[in-house]
Amino acid sequence: MATLRKQYAVSRYVYSEDSFGEDYEKVYRVRKTTLDHVKEYLTCDSKRAKNAVLSLLPIIGWMRIYRVREWLLGDVVSGISTGLIAIMQGLAFSLLASLPPSYGLYTAFFPMLTYFFLGTSRHISVGSFPVLSLMVGAVVTRLVPDEGPPANITGFEGLTQDQQRVLVASSVTFLMGIFQLAMGVLQVGFIVVYLSDTLVSGFTTAAAVHILVSQLKFVLGLTVPGISGPLSIIYTLEKIFVQITSTNICDLVMSILIMAMVFIVKELNDIYKAKLPVPIPIEVIMTVIACGVSYGFNFEKRYDVEIVGKMVSGYEPPMAPNVEVFQESAVEAFPIAIVGFAVAFSVAKVYSIKHDYTIDGNQELIAFGISNIFGASFRSFAASTALSRTAVQESSGGKTQIAGLISAMMAMIVTVALGFLLEPLPRSVLGALVIVNLKGMLMQFREIPYLWRRDKTECLVWLGTCLGAILLGLDLGLVVGLGVELLTVIFEPKGVKIFRIPSPIFFANIEFFRDKGTRPSGKSRNNIKLLQTQDKENMIESYMNMEELDQPTDLKGFPFQMDWNAELPSNVDVPRVDLHSLILDFSAVSFLDISAMKGLKMALKEFIRIDVDVYIVACDVYIVEKLHMCMFFDDEILTSMFFPTLHDAMLHVLEKHKDDTKNEEQLSPGASIRKEECSSTDYNEMMFTLYHFSQLSH
């Protein structure tokens, strides 16, 4: 049956801000004075107090609608299933953090207690996450290496190596929590927008490679010291291959069997998930079997297998973080905080959409910040969420965070009473469980051919982030990924450059905007050298040699202007580029201060004087009013440069330069779009493509 299609056509004039104002009367909003805003902020009534309490304690909202008969059984079953997995993952991921396994149980318990009251997601399972564990482990091995003396930190005196490492991990987690709490209080939850799906995918894939390499020493039964910093993965692989002949066969065979069984059962869980009431907890089953076999055949003594060993029984009193560790790890703690929040928020968002409720990014930052601060005080390490654990919690019937609280109680029971049963567990089993759970992240390599076919710019972001994180480490790799992503903001179609500004413009970033906005055009400030006659060559030469700060900031009085289509003197070499129009997309610009106005005005004049038409689109009406109030417009910068939409501006550019494309030979910088490219269908497709590629994130 053919799909019913209806056609429609929209016909209207091309509007600039001036022509739009002529046809339509502007409606002014009654704006509040500063005093009105102060009064409103200081006014407190019962409704506002109620909203404040509900915002800070989301548990009140969902507990009021809790359906005991319908939801409680599902939450209990889900909590038990998730708790078993959280225990196994806590033990395994503690190895990534270079800590004794028992401290992974702390991470499965303490952070959940506070998130239960403060978090807005009803489904995520709070606890250890392999990427964060590895990032914390990099700091731990740097300050307390396997070989050689630890860092010169006063708080290390009188402590064993394990105690020193626990102190470092908890202090880094405490600082991570401070960063998250501060960002939540300052209402900067939007920061996750700058981590696009492509960047996160490339970053987590690189993290999976690091995790895989870090667990090889346990699977092979080798003694390999922890290495951190750039190229650490290369050095680790080198040490592994040097010792490869010393592989412990018992560890290797046991790891292969564990990985094979877990992989097969997990695939069956996925295939029959609609028929299974809860997924088969294969990790728990294999762990119990491995513990029994290891204890019965005495693997530690007979085959020299490294086991979990003495488990900490019960909970230790809280301890204060070390300020010296703060100073040593501040650079690493901030990206750990960002990644932890980004992952948790992304997972929470998926399930909030599925179950039709809202989550608050700023409240999530506050919740995770307090949870990590509280957990770090009791020796846990960085907490976020894991997609696999959260999927089990949701698919097994979990409706609220009561399931998460029950899973935390499961970890508490093991810590207080049953931990000794896990002491004979081979560490190679934990390494195998970590590796087999990397399948989802490693399979993200399949995105490369898809991105290459669909969006080469996004593919570049993915590859740059992944390779940077693999070779330079996860912290520097994240910075590299952000840098590559920012570089793809500017997209240059031939003849027209669309520059999207994804943030407010103010004194701190106006110079960055001017540099990035002019450099890709090839007509930078250093190339704005104007001449009319041979007699002015000496003046031009002296002008070209001036430092940038010495150059005139107001070019209005400059006595000549460059004609880029004219023949230049033989001793003047200026790069020519195919650029006739620059479109600045202000759709995301919500603020413009005085310093930014001055810088923007100078930048616009520079382009105008080198014969590049500048247009500003989708500018907020109140910013336009502010520009009028601040005398931004003059005889060069006109209100006719402003257009309500990108579509209007592009149609105006095409109409203005259609005469430049009468023949295929390029006669001037304006000859960039041919006649046959101007059909409505092709143009709409081109517009969509240009605008898509010009955005910072999808």
Side-chain angles (χ1 to χ4, degrees), residues 56 67 87 136 145 159 162 176-177 195 246 265 269 295-296 383 409 436 441 457 472 500 556 576 619:
L56 291 175
R67 306 171 188 171
I87 292 168
V136 170
L159 300 180
D162 283 347
M176 165 195 175
L195 299 179
S246 303
V265 175
N269 281 338
Y295 177 78
M409 295 300 106
V436 79
M441 289 194 288
T457 304
L472 301 178
R500 184 176 188 270
K556 183 176 179 180
R576 293 179 180 273
C619 184

Side-chain angles (χ1 to χ4, degrees), residues 195 368 483 555 576 616 681:
L195 299 179
F368 275 104
L555 301 177
R576 293 179 180 273
I616 296 177
T681 304

Side-chain angles (χ1 to χ4, degrees), residues 181-375:
L181 179 60
M183 289 189 290
V185 171
L186 296 175
Q187 303 285 291
V188 292
F190 65 87
I191 196 170
V192 73
V193 171
Y194 293 95
L195 299 179
S196 67
D197 293 343
T198 304
L199 185 145
V200 172
S201 175
F203 179 79
T204 52
T205 304
V209 175
H210 277 282
I211 294 169
L212 174 63
V213 172
S214 70
Q215 296 307 291
L216 288 178
K217 64 180 181 181
F218 297 109
V219 170
L220 299 175
L222 301 176
T223 302
V224 178
I227 303 173
S228 60
L231 300 181
S232 60
I233 193 169
I234 305 297
Y235 299 136
T236 302
L237 286 172
E238 179 189 12
K239 291 184 177 295
I240 289 174
F241 285 121
V242 167
Q243 304 180 53
I244 197 70
T245 55
S246 303
T247 297
N248 188 307
I249 302 301
C250 181
D251 275 323
L252 179 60
V253 172
M254 189 163 38
S255 299
I256 293 174
L257 291 175
I258 294 285
M259 287 189 284
M261 288 299 299
V262 172
F263 178 81
I264 292 171
V265 175
K266 277 182 171 289
E267 291 297 310
L268 293 175
N269 281 338
D270 289 338
I271 295 172
Y272 298 105
K273 61 183 177 182
K275 299 180 179 180
L276 293 172
V278 294
I280 300 173
I282 185 61
E283 291 101 331
V284 178
I285 295 172
M286 297 308 297
T287 299
V288 171
I289 294 174
C291 274
V293 173
S294 175
Y295 177 78
F297 290 92
N298 196 6
F299 278 1
E300 182 184 15
K301 296 291 177 72
R302 182 175 298 181
Y303 300 110
D304 197 24
V305 169
E306 186 178 9
I307 61 173
V308 167
K310 182 65 177 176
M311 293 282 292
V312 177
S313 179
Y315 294 106
E316 303 175 45
M319 69 174 185
N322 188 283
V323 178
E324 292 179 82
V325 176
F326 282 1
Q327 297 171 349
E328 293 285 341
S329 62
V331 175
E332 292 102 329
F334 186 72
I336 293 174
I338 295 297
V339 172
F341 168 66
V343 170
F345 184 79
S346 300
V347 176
K349 191 174 180 181
V350 170
Y351 288 100
S352 69
I353 294 173
K354 181 178 179 179
H355 293 276
D356 193 25
Y357 63 90
T358 59
I359 56 173
D360 184 346
N362 294 311
Q363 181 61 26
E364 285 294 291
L365 274 169
I366 293 174
F368 275 104
I370 294 177
S371 296
N372 279 302
I373 291 173
F374 176 70

Side-chain angles (χ1 to χ4, degrees), residues 451-625:
L451 289 173
W452 181 256
R453 291 192 304 269
R454 301 288 183 177
D455 192 330
K456 291 182 173 57
T457 304
E458 292 288 277
C459 186
L460 179 63
V461 171
W462 197 100
L463 290 172
T465 305
C466 186
L467 292 176
I470 288 175
L471 297 176
L472 301 178
L474 296 180
D475 47 357
L476 294 177
L478 182 61
V479 175
V480 170
L482 286 170
V484 173
E485 189 170 52
L486 290 174
L487 288 176
T488 63
V489 174
I490 304 171
F491 177 77
E492 287 184 55
K494 193 177 181 183
V496 182
K497 173 183 165 186
I498 302 173
F499 189 93
R500 184 176 188 270
I501 298 98
S503 68
I505 309 176
F506 55 104
F507 65 92
N509 66 4
I510 183 61
E511 283 303 314
F512 175 84
F513 159 72
R514 291 182 65 193
D515 289 339
K516 295 299 180 183
T518 57
R519 189 178 304 155
S521 71
K523 300 177 181 180
S524 63
R525 278 175 274 175
N526 292 332
N527 287 333
I528 305 177
K529 318 305 179 192
L530 312 176
L531 64 152
Q532 272 187 333
T533 65
Q534 191 69 24
D535 296 335
K536 297 178 180 176
E537 288 181 10
N538 293 333
M539 182 174 67
I540 296 169
E541 183 178 356
S542 62
Y543 177 77
M544 293 176 69
N545 293 330
M546 294 168 86
E547 292 292 335
E548 183 177 348
L549 292 177
D550 295 330
Q551 293 177 7
T553 56
D554 185 6
L555 301 177
K556 183 176 179 180
F558 226 74
F560 39 79
Q561 180 168 334
M562 171 62 79
D563 179 6
W564 292 96
N565 297 322
E567 290 295 329
L568 299 178
S570 59
N571 61 337
V572 177
D573 182 19
V574 180
R576 293 179 180 273
V577 292
D578 297 332
L579 179 68
H580 56 67
S581 301
L582 171 66
I583 300 177
L584 303 179
D585 183 354
F586 271 39
S587 58
V589 178
S590 59
F591 173 74
L592 195 70
D593 68 6
I594 299 297
S595 299
M597 285 186 198
K598 293 179 180 178
L600 177 63
K601 189 169 185 177
M602 291 170 60
L604 296 185
K605 285 180 177 290
E606 290 170 358
F607 277 107
I608 291 171
R609 291 182 178 276
I610 59 174
D611 199 26
V612 174
D613 296 328
V614 183
Y615 305 97
I616 296 177
V617 303
C619 184
D620 187 272
V621 63
Y622 298 107
I623 291 182
V624 176
E625 288 181 2

Side-chain angles (χ1 to χ4, degrees), residues 66-75 397 399:
Y66 192 85
R67 306 171 188 171
V68 177
R69 293 183 179 180
E70 298 178 35
W71 293 356
L72 184 58
L73 180 60
D75 279 340
K399 300 295 184 182

